[in-house]
Amino acid sequence: MESVIGLVNTLQKTCTLLGDYGDDRSLPTLWDSLPTIVVLGGQSSGKSSVLESFVGRDFLPRGSGIVTRRPLILQLYKIDPGKEDYAQFLHTGDKKFIDFSMVRKEIQEETDRVTGKAKQISALPINLSIYSPNVVNLTLVDLPGLTKVAVEGQPESIVQEIENMVRSYVEKPNTIILAITPANQDLATSDAIKIAREVDPAGERTFGVLTKLDLMDKGTNALDVLEGRSYRLQHPWVGIVNRSQADINRNLDMIAARHREREFFATSPEYGHLASRMGSEYLAKLLSKHLESVIKARIPSLVSLINKTADELESDLTHFGRPVSIDEGAQLYTILELCRAFDRVFKEHLEGGRPGGDRIYGVFDHQLPIALRKLPFDRHLSLQNVKKVVCQADGYQPHLIAPEQGYRRLIESSLNYFRGPAEASVDAIHFILKELVRKSIGETQELRRFPTLQAEIVAAANEALERFRDDSKKTVLRMVDMEASYLTVDFFRKLPQEAEKGGNPNVSATDRYSEGHFRRIGSNVSSYVGMVSETLKNNIPKAVVYCQVQEAKRTLLDHFYTQVGKKEGRQLAQLLDEDPVLMERRQQCSRKLELYKAARNEIDSVLWTR
């Protein structure tokens, strides 16, 4: 049984440690799945004496008013007979307290550290573990005593604040309520019973405890309560005889107090027949036995929850990556693998596995054709401009049949307009590729650990993209210049034939400078420019994809690989300098996983001993 009860202590300690390592996705679920004994009672109801009787030591602060001002999570661990009692606080690390008066002092100082010396309260718990041969394995939560009136120095809201804190613990369905009520108080006015009845109306998880039976008025007794006639619970009521203040003042030890308590019930005319079911020792065993049955029923669900969370933490560790090796060769291999991982993501964007590559097609299918259509050819090939260019080309000698020089000047100047859309297409693809680099860096999970390497890869990729853009721009501008440098001969051959079809090739010079003639020249140039426009609309995308997109797929990080191969160990280590935040997250994840594995092992050991 001890091993089963000890399991709860271990798992609750695991929850506490997990809380120290930051918010954990399963922490509330794991904690709420564990049965917890919460000590509930009004001020001066004897809560502290009950807890000290479980431990067999004086260790709790005492005084008037609200003494317990923070929840105290008390974990009791039974150790081998003959070993010395000691206590440990979670907030003091491995420090052991042998002197239990120092435990009391530490509780008081830790309370004041959070709440101040004014009698304020705080929901932040104090975690205390006590190891002794004289205890049973239990975890109990001591809460501030319920009160009806705020004392001097306390806000009026403290009454409600305490009740809200108490309810936040006892409303949980796995909480076992230890409702403490003084026997010399009317049960109908008990704050502990009032709240227990509201949250546990069937009395299935409430243990009623009557304290101060020895202080009842002569001629009265608490048999109606202890035998379940006044207020029935599913579990038996237990009577307790605490040490009096005089006993405490004269340092009556707990061993003697327990002996006197047993003697009180054994010799009492009213309670003698209940003596075997009364006293703090019986209460501790009763709670321990009940906990055992509850835990056994919950073990399968606990195992499932712990396994599920451990698997999730393993997955998280895989995403965070393992610690980096200090070996130079291993570091170089790691860097190259990380670069390849980035390169795979980048290519997936281009090839359609991830969004973004479709924007490249959008430049060619929408942006480029629209830019070509918006070129100012209507203005450039207007009647007035055509006449002006042709006349200037003729100079002092008018053209004879077709104004060849005029045609050339009009076509060459028109084709010059294509440079703008060609360059704009290159720049648009460059911008998209840079965006895809940025997105790919963010989406490469393995790289998130290494901000320095991320920055170096981005810089190297952008530098390569600049080179690709320069090459692409030179190529598309050459294509435009090529169209202007050599005009299609068939185009000019058609012009005299069309004149012959007109019927009279020997037209006068005046006719050759007529408005109709210039309109026909403008129309012919427009046709030629339209033909070139279609050619460029088809060929510019090919050049851009070849020079920029394909090069990015093939050689984006080639120069970076060469540079990395020349670096020494210290420089490689600098590239693998991890993000401190991510390092901390991985360490926390690793510690959490260790705790869950330890909890799983603890459960396994309990299952084997059942």
Side-chain angles (χ1 to χ4, degrees), residues 27-315:
L27 176 55
T29 308
L30 180 57
W31 179 269
D32 293 342
S33 299
L34 299 172
T36 304
I37 301 173
V38 172
V39 183
L40 172 63
Q43 290 182 25
S44 303
S45 62
K47 290 193 300 94
S48 296
S49 294
V50 171
L51 287 171
E52 288 181 335
S53 69
F54 288 160
V55 178
R57 289 280 194 166
D58 293 311
F59 68 95
L60 292 173
R62 293 181 180 274
S64 59
I66 302 177
V67 178
T68 304
R69 292 182 284 127
R70 289 175 60 184
L72 176 68
I73 299 177
L74 176 62
Q75 294 180 306
L76 306 181
Y77 294 90
K78 187 174 182 65
I79 58 178
D80 294 335
K83 290 190 175 180
E84 188 176 24
D85 297 6
Y86 67 93
Q88 286 183 309
F89 289 92
L90 186 65
H91 64 269
T92 60
D94 294 332
K95 181 180 178 181
K96 291 184 179 181
F97 291 78
I98 307 299
D99 183 352
F100 277 76
S101 65
M102 297 305 294
V103 173
R104 180 187 302 111
K105 183 172 181 290
E106 182 65 29
I107 292 174
Q108 187 64 58
E109 291 178 352
E110 177 63 13
T111 299
D112 291 343
R113 185 183 66 80
V114 174
T115 65
K117 292 191 179 294
K119 296 189 176 181
Q120 304 292 325
I121 65 168
S122 169
L124 184 65
I126 298 173
N127 294 85
L128 172 62
S129 299
I130 294 179
Y131 301 80
S132 170
N134 305 313
V135 300
V136 294
N137 287 316
L138 278 178
T139 295
L140 305 106
V141 181
D142 186 25
L143 298 173
L146 295 161
T147 183
K148 291 183 171 62
V149 180
V151 300
E152 184 177 354
Q154 294 176 335
E156 291 296 327
S157 61
I158 198 167
V159 176
Q160 190 61 48
E161 288 174 9
I162 292 175
E163 183 173 335
N164 291 343
M165 184 192 299
V166 167
R167 287 183 180 275
S168 71
Y169 279 86
V170 300
E171 285 176 347
K172 296 173 182 176
N174 290 323
T175 296
I176 298 168
I177 303 169
L178 198 61
I180 310 291
T181 301
N184 56 359
Q185 173 187 329
D186 186 354
L187 196 65
T189 64
S190 169
D191 292 326
I193 293 300
K194 173 180 175 291
I195 291 180
R197 179 182 291 173
E198 291 175 6
V199 300
D200 180 31
E204 295 176 345
R205 52 190 182 90
T206 301
F207 285 80
V209 179
L210 275 185
T211 60
K212 304 183 181 181
L213 287 168
D214 55 331
L215 301 181
M216 294 184 71
D217 294 336
K218 288 185 178 181
T220 62
N221 61 58
L223 285 176
D224 283 348
V225 177
L226 293 175
E227 292 179 348
R229 291 189 293 273
S230 291
Y231 182 62
R232 181 173 294 278
L233 297 170
Q234 297 293 325
H235 306 286
W237 283 81
V238 179
I240 299 289
V241 174
N242 302 327
R243 290 181 302 165
S244 65
Q245 189 59 49
D247 294 334
I248 295 170
N249 292 340
R250 61 188 177 88
N251 294 322
L252 179 70
D253 64 43
M254 296 303 301
I255 303 299
R258 284 178 177 176
H259 177 75
R260 197 178 68 174
E261 182 185 45
R262 288 194 297 269
E263 186 178 356
F264 172 84
F265 286 111
T267 60
S268 168
E270 293 91 354
Y271 309 120
H273 65 292
L274 300 174
S276 63
R277 292 183 281 120
M278 295 291 118
S280 56
E281 290 177 293
Y282 172 76
L283 177 61
K285 292 175 182 177
L286 178 67
L287 292 173
S288 185
K289 184 177 180 181
H290 178 71
L291 270 178
E292 180 188 14
S293 64
V294 173
I295 295 164
K296 285 181 177 179
R298 299 252 163 80
I299 281 180
S301 61
L302 288 173
V303 170
S304 176
L305 175 61
I306 289 172
N307 285 339
K308 176 177 177 291
T309 310
D311 289 344
E312 291 173 354
L313 290 170
E314 288 276 13
S315 177

Side-chain angles (χ1 to χ4, degrees), residues 315-587:
S315 177
D316 288 346
L317 273 180
T318 300
H319 282 301
F320 292 147
R322 302 296 175 180
V324 178
S325 171
I326 60 173
D327 178 72
E328 183 175 334
Q331 289 177 343
L332 178 59
Y333 177 79
T334 299
I335 291 171
L336 295 178
E337 282 298 298
L338 291 169
C339 291
R340 293 186 188 103
F342 157 77
D343 201 43
R344 283 193 298 271
V345 174
F346 180 71
K347 288 177 180 176
E348 286 174 9
H349 277 293
L350 292 177
E351 294 168 355
R354 296 172 186 255
D358 54 314
R359 293 171 57 195
I360 294 175
Y361 175 72
V363 171
F364 302 141
D365 193 51
H366 301 288
Q367 186 175 320
L368 177 61
I370 290 173
L372 293 174
R373 285 197 297 270
K374 288 184 176 180
L375 292 176
F377 293 132
D378 289 345
R379 176 172 54 82
H380 187 66
L381 297 178
S382 65
L383 179 63
Q384 181 180 2
N385 195 57
V386 169
K387 182 177 181 180
K388 174 185 174 183
V389 171
V390 170
C391 291
Q392 288 177 346
D394 283 349
Y396 69 91
Q397 182 175 345
H399 60 271
L400 299 177
I401 299 177
E404 181 177 336
Q405 292 302 319
Y407 269 108
R408 287 187 178 278
R409 288 192 183 184
L410 282 171
I411 291 174
E412 288 171 2
S413 59
S414 296
L415 296 186
N416 196 51
Y417 283 113
F418 288 120
R419 298 174 69 90
E423 288 184 300
S425 297
V426 171
D427 290 336
I429 299 304
H430 178 73
F431 176 78
I432 292 171
L433 292 174
K434 285 186 68 174
E435 279 292 296
L436 293 182
V437 165
R438 183 186 62 80
K439 288 182 67 176
S440 299
I441 282 288
E443 293 172 7
T444 306
Q445 296 284 344
E446 301 91 330
L447 269 174
R448 293 184 178 181
R449 300 167 54 190
F450 309 107
T452 302
L453 182 58
Q454 280 185 337
E456 290 290 328
I457 290 176
V458 169
N462 287 341
E463 183 181 333
L465 291 179
E466 293 287 346
R467 293 197 303 272
F468 302 156
R469 177 175 66 174
D470 291 344
D471 290 343
S472 182
K473 194 167 287 189
K474 289 176 184 176
T475 300
V476 296
L477 292 181
R478 282 195 188 103
M479 291 172 63
V480 174
D481 293 342
M482 286 163 56
E483 292 290 346
S485 65
Y486 184 78
L487 304 184
T488 304
V489 177
D490 287 344
F491 177 81
F492 284 99
R493 287 174 178 167
K494 292 176 182 177
L495 297 182
Q497 294 173 9
E498 290 176 359
E500 291 174 4
K501 291 176 184 177
N504 186 10
N506 300 317
V507 293
S508 67
T510 303
D511 291 333
R512 287 196 295 274
Y513 285 90
S514 67
E515 182 176 313
H517 183 61
F518 288 120
R519 288 188 186 281
R520 188 162 55 251
I521 292 173
S523 176
N524 290 335
V525 172
S526 179
S527 297
Y528 186 84
V529 170
M531 179 186 69
V532 172
S533 179
E534 284 298 314
T535 301
L536 292 176
K537 187 174 73 172
N538 292 327
N539 290 340
I540 286 175
K542 295 178 182 179
V544 170
V545 168
Y546 180 80
C547 294
Q548 289 175 267
V549 180
Q550 292 288 7
E551 277 302 300
K553 286 174 63 177
R554 286 195 300 264
T555 66
L556 183 65
L557 294 180
D558 280 8
H559 181 69
F560 182 67
Y561 292 147
T562 303
Q563 296 301 112
V564 168
K566 298 176 182 178
K567 292 184 182 294
E568 297 178 352
R570 182 177 57 82
Q571 296 170 311
L572 294 174
Q574 288 175 347
L575 287 178
L576 294 174
D577 185 22
E578 290 190 81
D579 180 355
V581 174
L582 197 142
M583 286 178 65
E584 177 62 23
R585 287 177 62 191
R586 184 175 65 235
Q587 290 170 359

